[in-house]
């Protein structure tokens, strides 16, 4: 068998992520080693507007991406010649930014003659627990970010069953808009969590939309409206803001725990290996603790990737590239960038 004893070079992929307001480049190998994970947040550029401005994000990605690619290679102590392939997020996301990352990835692939993998951003979040924990399929995933809130059964690479999702705002959006109403700043999630630490979650009464309902959809816009009305009727003292932040976090946590419980009951027949949480909101410690309890009720492990791998990053895109390349799933360089790209259409 010629070549049987020859040493096989490890598969090393670069992943590029530009679908929202983080410019990110990661490098991982097929042995699940993260060789580099560089993120340049654009927070200051969007802060004056209290949210992500798509045009500003696209320009910022363009400014930052080349230098980030160079620094990721430096951190990994490799050159383009050591790469086995290039993965880049091709959607869903803010289209200007997605185009910057996808074009950068395609250009490197074209010049270096490397396979290109156009990654679905949601799939990259969904496969992260296989990078961090070597988790076996199937598992139940709560994807909780600023742009997405959904519950999926992850059955395999490209195979996702959507069990439920938000019928209005994403959960991260609820944190961000809540923080804006309370004058806490942007991005809201971490600021609400910090303010909540000194607040009383029983002091402000907020609704829990969809709680106890059949299925596992969520709704957050009623919660936001209720908070707005309460904010308008009260003076925004530090004590009030802390109490309102604690109450908002508690309401969101209750909703997520209820929906996760329903979802686990729905998929018990599929024998999931774990309850997994991913996306930026998965950084929230109160939410993590509650979901851990829900998983324990079903006798399942609870898996939450480290925070740097929960929020948008390049390593998760590179890893999705590894998973796909191992299966021979590559893309042509004329693959389009997509603003919308639901996960259950991937098969
Ligand atoms: O996944 P991500 O980095 O970007 C996408 O939206 O794709 O998620 C960002 C979202 C923001 O809405 C942010 O407020 C929220 O995650 N977030 C948090 C926390 N850290 C970030 N929400 C609650 N608690 C946190 N500690
Ligand atoms: Zn994301």
């Amino acid at each position: 068998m010629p070549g049987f004893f020859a040493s096989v070079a490890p598969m090393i992929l670069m992943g590029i992520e530009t679908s929202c307001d983080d410019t990110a480049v990661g490098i991982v190998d097929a042995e699940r080693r993260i060789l580099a994970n560089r993120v340049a947040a654009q927070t200051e550029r969007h802060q004056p507007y209290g949210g992500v401005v798509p045009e500003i994000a696209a320009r910022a990605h363009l400014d930052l991406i080349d230098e980030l690619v160079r620094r990721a290679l430096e951190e990994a102590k490799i050159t383009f010649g050591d790469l086995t392939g290039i993965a880049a997020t091709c959607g869903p996301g803010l289209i200007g930014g997605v185009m910057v990352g996808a074009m950068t990835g395609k250009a490197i692939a074209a010049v270096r003659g490397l396979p290109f993998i156009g990654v679905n951003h949601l799939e990259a979040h969904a496969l992260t627990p296989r990078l961090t924990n070597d988790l076996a399929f199937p598992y139940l995933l709560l994807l909780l970010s600023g742009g997405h809130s959904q519950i999926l059964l992850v059955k395999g690479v490209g195979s996702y069953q959507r069990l439920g999702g938000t019928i209005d705002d994403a959960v991260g959006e609820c944190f961000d808009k809540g923080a804006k109403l309370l004058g806490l700043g942007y991005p809201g999630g971490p600021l609400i969590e910090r303010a909540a630490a000194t607040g009383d979650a029983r002091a402000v009464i907020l609704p829990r939309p969809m709680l106890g309902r059949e299925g596992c959809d969520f709704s957050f816009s009623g919660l936001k409206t209720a908070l707005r009305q309460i904010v308008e009727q009260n003076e925004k003292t530090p004590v009030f803001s802390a109490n309102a932040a604690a109450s908002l976090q508690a309401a969101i946590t209750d909703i997520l725990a209820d929906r996760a419980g329903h979802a686990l009951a729905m998929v018990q027949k599929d024998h999931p290996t774990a309850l997994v949480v991913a996306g930026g909101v998965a950084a929230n410690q109160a939410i993590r603790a509650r979901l851990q309890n829900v998983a324990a009720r079903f006798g399942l492990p609870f898996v939450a990737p480290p925070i740097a791998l929960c929020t948008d990053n390049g390593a998760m895109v590179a890893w999705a590239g590894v998973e796909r390349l191992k299966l021979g799933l590559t893309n042509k360089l004329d693959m389009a960038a997509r603003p919308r790209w639901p996960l259950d259409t991937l098969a």
Side-chain angles (χ1 to χ4, degrees):
M1 215 194 250
F4 184 75
F5 294 106
S7 71
V8 182
M11 190 185 263
I12 302 179
L13 266 89
M14 175 179 280
I16 297 174
E17 163 56 43
T18 55
S19 68
C20 192
D21 61 338
D22 292 305
T23 314
V25 179
I27 299 175
V28 306
D29 72 13
E31 313 273 87
R32 304 173 37 239
R33 281 183 290 238
I34 298 172
L35 307 180
N37 201 17
R38 291 261 162 191
V39 182
Q42 308 169 1
T43 316
E44 292 99 70
R45 302 193 197 208
H46 300 285
Q47 224 147 26
Y49 309 94
V52 179
V53 183
E55 281 307 314
I56 293 177
R59 277 174 190 280
H61 289 307
L62 206 52
D63 287 349
L64 296 164
I65 191 71
D66 288 346
E67 174 66 7
L68 219 56
V69 166
R70 196 187 62 71
R71 282 211 239 138
L73 288 169
E74 200 175 86
E75 185 184 337
K77 300 189 178 62
I78 62 168
T79 65
F80 283 123
D82 298 308
L83 292 172
T84 321
I86 296 279
T89 296
C90 278
L94 302 173
I95 194 66
V98 174
M99 285 168 73
V100 171
M103 285 306 299
T104 305
K106 288 174 184 177
I108 299 169
V111 170
R112 293 282 158 172
L114 291 169
F116 174 74
I117 301 102
V119 169
N120 179 301
H121 178 83
L122 305 175
E123 177 167 69
H125 278 301
L127 296 176
T128 301
R130 290 169 56 78
L131 166 65
T132 56
N133 297 61
D134 205 9
L135 201 63
F137 298 121
Y139 48 88
L140 188 77
L141 174 80
L142 260 74
L143 182 54
L144 307 173
S145 74
H148 308 276
S149 300
Q150 37 189 294
I151 304 188
L152 302 156
L153 185 64
V154 180
K155 296 172 165 180
V157 176
S159 177
Y160 306 92
Q161 182 189 343
R162 190 175 184 280
L163 299 163
T166 180
I167 58 170
D168 41 55
D169 294 347
V171 56
E173 219 175 326
C174 187
F175 272 108
D176 293 337
K177 288 178 177 169
K180 202 169 177 178
L181 284 170
L182 294 173
L184 294 174
Y186 165 85
L191 297 167
I192 292 275
E193 185 171 13
R194 197 179 314 153
T198 58
D200 177 359
R202 291 159 307 180
V204 175
I205 310 290
L206 289 171
R208 272 113 174 107
M210 312 289 278
L211 204 79
R213 286 257 202 109
E214 215 176 288
C216 39
D217 282 336
F218 342 88
S219 164
F220 293 106
S221 78
L223 183 52
K224 179 191 64 193
T225 307
L227 180 66
R228 177 182 305 121
Q229 286 164 353
I230 292 168
V231 168
E232 282 165 2
Q233 291 156 10
N234 284 272
E235 200 190 326
K236 258 190 262 168
T237 62
V239 171
F240 170 77
S241 290
N243 289 344
S247 303
L248 180 66
Q249 182 174 276
I252 293 173
T253 306
D254 283 351
I255 295 168
L256 294 177
D258 178 75
R259 308 286 80 194
H262 276 222
L264 280 174
M266 282 164 75
V267 300
Q268 259 190 318
K269 59 184 185 318
D270 299 289
H271 306 292
T273 58
L275 171 64
V276 178
V277 65
V281 177
N284 187 286
Q285 296 299 335
I287 292 174
R288 283 184 182 230
R290 273 293 284 290
L291 292 175
Q292 180 140 32
N293 285 342
V294 175
R297 233 169 56 216
F298 286 84
L300 287 176
F302 173 69
V303 173
I307 288 164
L309 296 171
C310 274
T311 51
D312 289 350
N313 66 90
M316 71 176 188
V317 177
W319 177 254
V322 168
E323 294 256 31
R324 291 198 150 252
L325 190 57
K326 276 197 209 162
L327 299 171
L329 300 169
T330 61
N331 297 100
K332 299 211 175 84
L333 293 181
D334 63 359
M335 179 179 188
R338 305 177 188 191
R340 288 180 52 77
W341 188 4
L343 257 189
D344 47 5
T345 61
L346 225 62

